[in-house]
Amino acid sequence: MIKNDNFKQIEHLILEMTHPFDDNEQMEIACLCCRMAKDNKFEFEYTSQIKSLYVHNYLAIKNGTYKKVNFTTINKEIIQAIERGGKADLVIDPTLNKKSIPSSNKIARIQSIKTFLNNNIKK
């Protein structure tokens, strides 16, 4: 069964990337919740995909340059990726890959992220 805390986390990410839901999209998200509640593997894969999508767009979202899309568009992309067997990219922060950041800064940022995750992830 989908944990309420887990859905609240991805719901926040979805809301940051989409326009307000219309009536059809509200039904679509309700169906998504039902499917996630019934299928733990699907829940994990969907959550991984939405987190990856969010991280890839994080800088644009942060800078206010991200163009929000309809939930239907994002949902369709993610479900198609899952059905094709696509795995979400494993990324934490896309800026860590930039060569312009000195390695000591990369290490400090990675340690900061690890500390944050250790302190905020319930075991």
Side-chain angles (χ1 to χ4, degrees):
M1 185 165 154
I2 185 170
K3 297 176 183 87
N4 195 32
D5 288 343
N6 286 352
F7 188 72
K8 283 183 181 177
Q9 290 174 0
I10 66 165
E11 179 184 43
H12 172 74
L13 302 181
I14 291 168
L15 290 174
E16 286 214 24
M17 292 187 291
T18 61
H19 297 293
F21 298 159
D22 63 20
D23 291 343
N24 290 333
E25 289 174 322
Q26 289 177 13
M27 291 297 293
E28 197 173 340
I29 201 147
C31 291
L32 172 65
C33 291
C34 289
R35 185 170 177 189
M36 291 173 88
K38 293 177 184 176
D39 186 345
N40 288 338
K41 182 180 177 194
F42 176 78
E43 177 188 359
F44 175 80
E45 290 172 355
Y46 195 95
T47 301
S48 297
Q49 291 284 345
I50 201 73
K51 287 179 179 179
S52 178
L53 182 62
Y54 182 84
V55 169
H56 277 90
N57 292 295
Y58 176 75
L59 291 176
I61 292 168
K62 180 180 170 185
N63 295 330
T65 58
Y66 178 77
K67 302 288 184 215
K68 291 186 174 192
V69 297
N70 293 329
F71 171 70
T72 300
T73 303
I74 287 177
N75 190 47
K76 184 177 178 181
E77 284 179 27
I78 291 173
I79 289 176
Q80 287 175 347
I82 292 169
E83 288 171 350
R84 285 191 314 266
K87 298 294 179 194
D89 294 335
L90 300 175
V91 292
I92 294 176
D93 182 343
T95 62
L96 291 175
N97 295 325
K98 291 187 176 179
K99 292 181 181 179
S100 62
I101 299 173
S103 10
S104 61
N105 283 350
K106 283 184 183 179
I107 292 170
R109 289 180 72 197
I110 291 170
Q111 288 173 338
S112 172
I113 291 168
K114 285 174 73 175
T115 301
F116 174 80
L117 291 173
N118 287 334
N119 291 334
N120 292 295
I121 294 179
K122 296 176 185 172
K123 296 177 182 182

